[in-house]
Amino acid sequence: MPMTLRLSRNETDAAEIPAACDAAAAQTINGRLRALRDFSSRERFARNETLFNEGQRADRIFKIISGTVRLCRHTPDGRRHIADFMLPGDIVGFAEFDTHPFTAEAVTDLTLSAYPRARFEQWDSAGPELRAGLLSHLASTMLATQQQLFVLGCRNAKERFASFLLRMADRTDTPQGERLDLPMGRQDIADHLGLTIETVCRVITSLRGAGLITAPNTHQLILNDVAGLRALAEGIATLAA
Amino acid sequence: MPMTLRLSRNETDAAEIPAACDAAAAQTINGRLRALRDFSSRERFARNETLFNEGQRADRIFKIISGTVRLCRHTPDGRRHIADFMLPGDIVGFAEFDTHPFTAEAVTDLTLSAYPRARFEQWDSAGPELRAGLLSHLASTMLATQQQLFVLGCRNAKERFASFLLRMADRTDTPQGERLDLPMGRQDIADHLGLTIETVCRVITSLRGAGLITAPNTHQLILNDVAGLRALAEGIATLAA
DNA sequence: CGACCCCTTGACATGCATCAAAGGGAGTGG
DNA sequence: CCACTCCCTTTGATGCATGTCAAGGGGTCG
């Protein structure tokens, strides 16, 4: 979420509608990217490959087509923090200064489109819609980052994990009872939530014991009780078990 | 830092130079605010007064003239998280959507200028400079938020406090050996760093014991060894004591 | 079938929170 | 000017959530 834009489902969908490819559409972010199609390149990365490293020059904008990316930073002594995961439709690398503030790695096999940033930022042709779209996206990215800050600042392990699940379900439009895909491993989740892998495992066990979730397999969870999870995430409820 | 803009020292200073009040200056953020002078109001708040509450309509932009503001959120069960402190020169309320995502309270007695947001956002007259200025400020705000996320995600109490001190010293241009003003109380620092007030006190005691800092009084600290503090903050060094 | 990798669980350690109480410092009233 | 009071800070004693260390367990790929 930091330094990146996340497109709302609506806009992403709209971007796929050919009819939207007119002059007005070029004034949205996705419209602008579409206008740069001829300058873009489709690329693939294998699991755990690096898209770019922290400090590297940020001259391209990436739009995730399929797969998941993690944005992470490292401490000199080897600890890792995952600022956020980027899902299909998300855009990486737009809001940075000239260098990337984090490393981007493929969590799964990955397909993306890369656009030259310099062209994207030729503002001369940018209309008020694009400007509004950019500010609005920056604001929502900001909001998400601030939310995560709140989570790390105030909440315990179960609350953090519940927040994470709810956000993932929300981002992927997964309703209660459906299988929620978690493409990242436990260690990634732990590094995102400021916990250890063992604690994440224990929390999952505990939530499963409470009936809030079901775990068909390692990378899929079913949220049985979204309201309960929300109560847990908000700190309204505590888990007896 | 979240949802807010922080002006670099340079720009703040430039804003005070009358000669800068020409057409070009109206294309910077501070220039734009100055152009709205006639619509602005100077206001004062006493210590602990509330500027606005979370969820309240965000129709004004505030520029801190003197004093300190805390931006905070509360959990339903009473825990509090301070996203950031706003210092003189900082701007609050710019990057939000239509409602404030947090509560703003006066840490100390406070003077500020309030500007109508609607007028600020009449983009018709905005040139490329203002646009660049806005994006650049959003990006740096974002960077700071992400940095704080990293701190809360990866670091222990001493490291967090050292990071906090270094950032405060940096924001206030306080060099090593000079008194660093900490207008906020220990509880505020604790809520900002995701710690308890007792832990903050113990950390201070510990850093003082190590000679890294001196504490002339509660609201002033002297950083005796910025390099040492930086090593601590980065996780390179540990404190023996 | 075996090896590897990741996940899970258990036992133990510890950093920080919690609970409790004493120690300033600033403002107020005598 | 001093004493009182209130609020905040500091320190101490103890407990708990989470980290650390260690040992299986299960799925996947060759």
Side-chain angles (χ1 to χ4, degrees):
Chain A
M1 98 203 47
M3 297 291 107
T4 60
L5 297 176
R6 169 129 207 298
L7 301 182
S8 74
R9 205 90 346 231
N10 291 339
E11 272 176 290
T12 305
D13 292 341
E16 314 306 341
I17 303 171
C21 292
D22 55 10
Q27 297 306 330
T28 65
I29 295 177
N30 269 313
R32 178 62 163 251
L33 289 181
R34 241 175 305 116
L36 295 177
R37 196 181 327 169
D38 292 345
F39 304 102
S40 75
S41 59
R42 178 71 49 124
E43 297 183 12
R44 291 174 181 281
F45 291 86
R47 200 167 99 90
N48 290 327
E49 268 191 302
T50 299
L51 278 71
F52 53 79
N53 276 298
E54 184 176 343
Q56 195 169 322
R57 184 145 204 87
D59 45 15
R60 298 201 301 169
I61 295 177
F62 301 95
K63 177 168 172 175
I64 314 294
I65 304 300
S66 71
T68 303
V69 171
R70 60 176 171 252
L71 305 179
C72 49
R73 304 179 121 203
H74 296 267
T75 60
D77 61 332
R79 285 171 283 178
R80 183 180 71 156
H81 178 70
I82 296 181
D84 205 3
F85 299 101
M86 304 307 282
L87 306 181
D90 290 344
I91 295 180
V92 188
F94 167 66
E96 12 258 285
F97 287 109
D98 47 330
T99 61
H100 289 291
F102 41 60
T103 297
E105 297 166 345
V107 170
T108 61
D109 288 350
L110 193 68
T111 308
L112 53 76
S113 289
Y115 301 85
R117 197 172 153 200
R119 282 187 188 274
F120 184 88
E121 291 182 352
Q122 281 167 354
W123 300 114
D124 326 316
S125 53
E129 284 222 12
L130 178 57
R131 191 156 46 213
L134 289 175
L135 289 177
S136 155
H137 276 105
L138 284 168
S140 65
T141 304
M142 204 58 199
L143 205 57
T145 308
Q146 190 205 340
Q147 179 63 32
Q148 180 69 4
L149 198 58
F150 188 36
V151 167
L152 293 192
C154 280
R155 328 204 83 122
N156 65 28
K158 282 168 190 166
E159 295 166 352
R160 290 182 198 191
F161 187 75
S163 298
F164 170 71
L165 282 188
L166 291 170
R167 190 161 94 96
M168 285 300 292
D170 190 50
R171 292 176 75 176
T172 57
D173 285 318
T174 307
Q176 173 165 325
E178 288 296 311
R179 285 174 181 233
L180 169 64
D181 282 310
L182 295 180
M184 67 293 293
R186 300 288 189 258
Q187 185 65 61
D188 286 341
I189 297 175
D191 288 345
H192 179 50
L193 299 179
L195 301 170
T196 60
I197 185 175
E198 293 93 335
T199 299
V200 170
C201 283
R202 283 186 246 270
V203 166
I204 292 174
T205 303
S206 156
L207 294 189
R208 205 171 28 180
L212 289 171
I213 62 173
T214 312
N217 65 63
T218 307
H219 289 283
Q220 291 187 321
L221 288 184
I222 295 172
L223 311 194
N224 297 319
D225 180 1
V226 168
L229 285 169
R230 184 156 291 126
L232 189 58
E234 309 270 329
I236 298 169
T238 320
L239 222 49
Chain B
M1 96 204 47
M3 297 292 105
T4 60
L5 298 175
R6 169 131 208 298
L7 301 181
S8 76
R9 205 95 341 233
N10 290 340
E11 272 176 288
T12 306
D13 292 341
E16 314 307 340
I17 302 171
C21 292
D22 56 10
Q27 298 305 331
T28 66
I29 294 177
N30 270 311
R32 179 60 163 252
L33 290 181
R34 241 176 304 114
L36 296 177
R37 196 182 326 170
D38 292 344
F39 304 102
S40 76
S41 59
R42 178 71 51 123
E43 297 183 13
R44 290 174 181 283
F45 291 86
R47 199 167 99 90
N48 289 327
E49 268 191 302
T50 300
L51 280 70
F52 53 78
N53 277 297
E54 184 175 344
Q56 195 169 322
R57 184 144 203 87
D59 45 16
R60 299 200 300 168
I61 295 178
F62 302 95
K63 177 168 173 177
I64 314 292
I65 305 300
S66 71
T68 302
V69 171
R70 59 175 171 252
L71 304 179
C72 48
R73 305 179 122 202
H74 296 267
T75 60
D77 61 332
R79 285 171 283 178
R80 183 181 71 157
H81 178 69
I82 295 180
D84 205 4
F85 299 101
M86 303 307 282
L87 306 181
D90 290 346
I91 294 179
V92 188
F94 167 66
E96 11 258 286
F97 287 109
D98 46 330
T99 61
H100 289 291
F102 41 61
T103 298
E105 296 166 344
V107 170
T108 62
D109 288 349
L110 193 69
T111 308
L112 53 76
S113 289
Y115 302 85
R117 198 174 152 197
R119 283 188 187 274
F120 184 88
E121 291 183 351
Q122 281 166 354
W123 300 114
D124 326 318
S125 53
E129 285 222 10
L130 179 58
R131 192 157 44 214
L134 288 175
L135 289 177
S136 156
H137 277 105
L138 284 169
S140 65
T141 303
M142 203 59 197
L143 205 57
T145 307
Q146 192 205 339
Q147 179 64 31
Q148 180 69 4
L149 198 58
F150 187 36
V151 167
L152 293 192
C154 281
R155 327 205 84 119
N156 65 27
K158 282 168 189 165
E159 294 166 353
R160 291 181 198 191
F161 186 75
S163 297
F164 170 71
L165 283 187
L166 291 170
R167 190 162 93 98
M168 283 301 292
D170 189 50
R171 291 175 75 176
T172 58
D173 286 319
T174 307
Q176 173 164 324
E178 288 296 312
R179 287 173 180 234
L180 169 64
D181 282 310
L182 296 180
M184 67 294 293
R186 300 288 189 257
Q187 184 66 60
D188 286 340
I189 298 175
D191 289 344
H192 178 50
L193 299 179
L195 302 170
T196 60
I197 185 175
E198 293 95 333
T199 299
V200 170
C201 283
R202 283 186 244 271
V203 166
I204 292 174
T205 303
S206 157
L207 295 188
R208 205 171 29 182
L212 289 171
I213 62 174
T214 312
N217 64 63
T218 308
H219 289 282
Q220 292 187 322
L221 289 184
I222 296 171
L223 311 193
N224 297 320
D225 180 1
V226 168
L229 285 170
R230 184 155 292 126
L232 190 58
E234 309 271 331
I236 299 168
T238 319
L239 222 50

